Amino acid sequence: MLTKRIIPCLDVRNGRVTKGVRFKDNIDIGDPVEMAVAYSEGGADELCFYDITASAERRPIDIGMVEAVARAVRIPFAVGGGIASLADMERVILAGAEKVSVNSLAVRTPSIISEGAARFGRQCIVLGMDPVRSERTPSGYEITVRGYRERTGIDAVEWARRAADLGAGEIVVNSVDADGTRAGFELEITRLIADAVDVPVVASGGAGSPAHVVAALRDAHADAAIVAGMIHSGEYTILDIKRALSTAGLPARMRW
Amino acid sequence: MIAIVDYRAGNLTSVRNAFAAIGAETTVTRDPAAIRTAERVVFPGVGAAGSSMANLRVLDLVDAVRDAARTKPFLGICLGMQILFDRSEEDGGTDCLGILPGQVRRFPSIPGVKVPEIGWNQVNGDIEYYFVHSYYAEKGPYTVGVTEYAGVEFTSAVRKDRLVAYQFHPEKSGRFGLDLLREFVSC
């Protein structure tokens, strides 16, 4: 049976992993490669790296870091943040990342999804989206871009459907309202999107306990969940989360 | 020497890194002669069957790959497993290498079942490996590993003489995946 994936997310700024609440108050929590190895050995099913400052500062992705991670871990990982072109995607993939995640770029230039899928295969192209609660759009959620700074007026569910049609192989639903709060995933928008598209959906933003992860995977129909602060802080381990999944009757990879 | 066949079907960095992690030296090549002289051949592949078969023909690699698959330790991975079969439904129907009997089909569309299958799934009801695919090979005479997804029990591992091939990615399947690469290197 296909297991539900637990994906630690590492926000990288100037070569260090940081964690903040809603992109504010970032604190240094470690070396990306060391943390990647530790999480891989701790049972992570996949990893994701976001160069959170790349886009705002118009700075390219740190390819050396991607290569170092690819040499160090034997599980898949995705890289996002600061991807500005097909050439950027190619650099990240050639450096050893399985997947590249586009977010603001895809909103501005949706054809990057289809072009990326045609060039590298749709399994390589992850659409990241940052929906925020909104009364302006039919689903009640609106897409934001540029690290939540700008609202777009685009309906989150419509955008997910369109991105999947264009060739996104996976969609990460990162709730702006929940991100960094550790108060639980935004289940409603996660479920709306998981039920609307036929590609895997990853819940992101707000994980604070194994029970939150169970809720996203069971009640909100997500295929995978991104976790950050709850494991970075040492409060929980990936094993804790996997055990909670098993207890809840969700398929989890328990041997690694 | 272990030759990794580069036929423009996806990224080979992960495969190279994984062999490096077990101390095995590899060379990436699209030279038919290098494949013929290699001790072992790795046939990876990510992408679509149609364009990959076209690439093999354009690069004049079809015969070299066929011969290697029949005569020496040979490891197919993912699409590199699928195109060893007779035919794939992908790209409107693609004639493949015909080294293994059988068909490659697309997962059925079932509400609530996501395609591609992405993630860790069990082989023969035991250890999980990392899969990423929308098409699967039907079970056949050389199937040694089966996996279940979308209501289908498909071939996730095949073995025929010195050829072994996996639908999943041993290079991305943690230490259990590395064990399979070690087995290939020492067979």
Side-chain angles (χ1 to χ4, degrees):
Chain A
M1 197 169 192
L2 182 66
T3 58
K4 299 284 189 180
R5 285 170 284 152
I6 305 301
I7 308 175
C9 181
L10 306 177
D11 287 339
V12 181
R13 171 174 285 191
N14 298 324
R16 300 289 294 177
V17 180
T18 65
K19 185 60 194 166
V21 177
R22 296 191 183 205
F23 282 95
K24 292 169 195 154
D25 305 312
N26 288 284
I27 52 165
D28 185 320
I29 55 171
D31 174 74
V33 178
E34 284 171 18
M35 289 183 69
V37 169
Y39 285 140
S40 168
E41 289 174 354
D45 298 310
E46 200 169 314
L47 299 167
C48 72
F49 293 86
Y50 284 106
D51 187 342
I52 52 173
T53 60
S55 196
E57 294 172 9
R58 298 187 185 284
R59 192 162 50 78
I61 282 199
D62 183 352
I63 291 297
M65 191 204 80
V66 179
E67 289 171 340
V69 171
R71 280 194 298 270
V73 302
R74 301 274 73 79
I75 59 172
F77 66 96
V79 171
I83 302 284
S85 64
L86 220 51
D88 283 349
M89 285 183 176
E90 182 162 40
R91 274 193 285 278
V92 166
I93 288 168
L94 289 180
E98 266 57 49
K99 307 176 186 183
V100 47
S101 176
V102 288
N103 189 323
S104 303
L105 171 66
V107 174
R108 272 199 313 276
T109 315
S111 60
I112 193 77
I113 299 173
S114 40
E115 287 166 15
R119 180 100 157 254
F120 310 111
R122 70 180 299 162
Q123 77 289 337
C124 290
I125 309 301
V126 178
L127 177 81
M129 58 159 65
D130 298 330
V132 66
R133 276 183 187 279
S134 167
E135 290 177 356
R136 301 204 297 173
T137 61
S139 72
Y141 292 88
E142 171 180 353
I143 296 297
T144 67
V145 292
R146 299 186 60 242
Y148 315 162
R149 290 181 194 90
E150 247 174 65
R151 292 188 175 227
T152 61
I154 298 169
D155 183 75
V157 174
E158 283 304 305
W159 176 226
R161 282 207 186 95
R162 183 160 177 232
D165 286 346
L166 285 168
E170 189 159 65
I171 295 178
V172 177
V173 181
N174 179 57
S175 162
V176 173
D177 301 297
D179 186 29
T181 63
R182 293 169 71 179
F185 293 95
E186 173 76 70
L187 298 180
E188 187 185 346
I189 184 59
T190 306
R191 190 179 60 242
L192 283 172
I193 289 174
D195 291 349
V197 298
D198 57 6
V199 298
V201 166
V202 183
S204 171
S209 74
H212 292 154
V213 178
V214 168
L217 299 174
R218 185 187 55 199
D219 307 333
H221 309 162
D223 301 280
I226 282 177
V227 294
M230 65 180 281
I231 57 168
H232 296 335
S233 67
E235 192 178 347
Y236 296 101
T237 64
I238 294 162
L239 183 60
D240 293 334
I241 302 171
K242 296 278 185 92
R243 283 190 176 133
L245 263 54
S246 294
T247 303
L250 293 166
R253 184 174 69 111
M254 299 303 292
R255 288 167 299 175
W256 49 81
Chain B
M1 179 58 83
I2 302 169
I4 301 175
V5 184
D6 172 15
Y7 57 112
R8 297 196 292 244
N11 171 27
L12 306 176
T13 310
S14 294
V15 177
R16 286 170 51 208
N17 281 339
F19 277 105
I22 59 166
E25 220 177 296
T26 55
T27 181
V28 171
T29 184
R30 56 177 61 166
D31 175 8
I35 293 166
R36 289 184 188 285
T37 56
E39 189 191 345
R40 292 160 209 281
V41 173
V42 181
F43 191 51
V46 166
S51 57
S52 296
M53 282 303 302
N55 288 346
L56 285 175
R57 287 192 196 96
V58 168
L59 296 167
D60 196 24
L61 288 169
V62 171
D63 289 342
V65 168
R66 266 203 190 113
D67 291 347
R70 287 179 176 139
T71 59
K72 59 180 81 175
F74 186 94
L75 170 65
I77 299 173
C78 196
L79 182 68
M81 180 193 94
Q82 292 183 358
I83 62 178
L84 298 175
F85 286 87
D86 289 324
R87 193 172 162 78
S88 170
E89 283 184 353
E90 197 170 10
D91 297 319
T94 300
D95 285 325
C96 297
L97 293 169
I99 294 158
L100 298 169
Q103 304 283 318
V104 173
R105 303 194 182 281
R106 192 172 200 281
F107 281 124
S109 294
I110 299 171
V113 177
K114 306 302 177 81
V115 176
E117 174 183 37
I118 298 182
W120 300 75
N121 201 341
Q122 292 178 315
V123 174
N124 293 337
D126 192 17
I127 292 166
E128 291 95 0
Y129 299 90
Y130 187 76
F131 288 81
V132 181
H133 62 132
S134 300
Y135 291 78
Y136 67 91
E138 292 181 328
K139 286 191 288 182
Y142 301 103
T143 298
V144 293
V146 294
T147 295
E148 191 272 329
Y149 189 70
V152 176
E153 211 176 49
F154 63 87
T155 296
S156 49
V158 283
R159 189 181 289 278
K160 182 189 181 190
D161 303 322
R162 304 173 85 185
L163 174 155
V164 60
Y166 303 115
Q167 176 60 63
F168 54 85
H169 289 270
E171 77 278 15
K172 278 287 157 182
S173 294
R175 74 180 162 98
F176 296 115
L178 289 187
D179 286 346
L180 297 178
L181 298 186
R182 278 194 198 94
E183 196 179 287
F184 169 69
V185 165
S186 58
C187 70

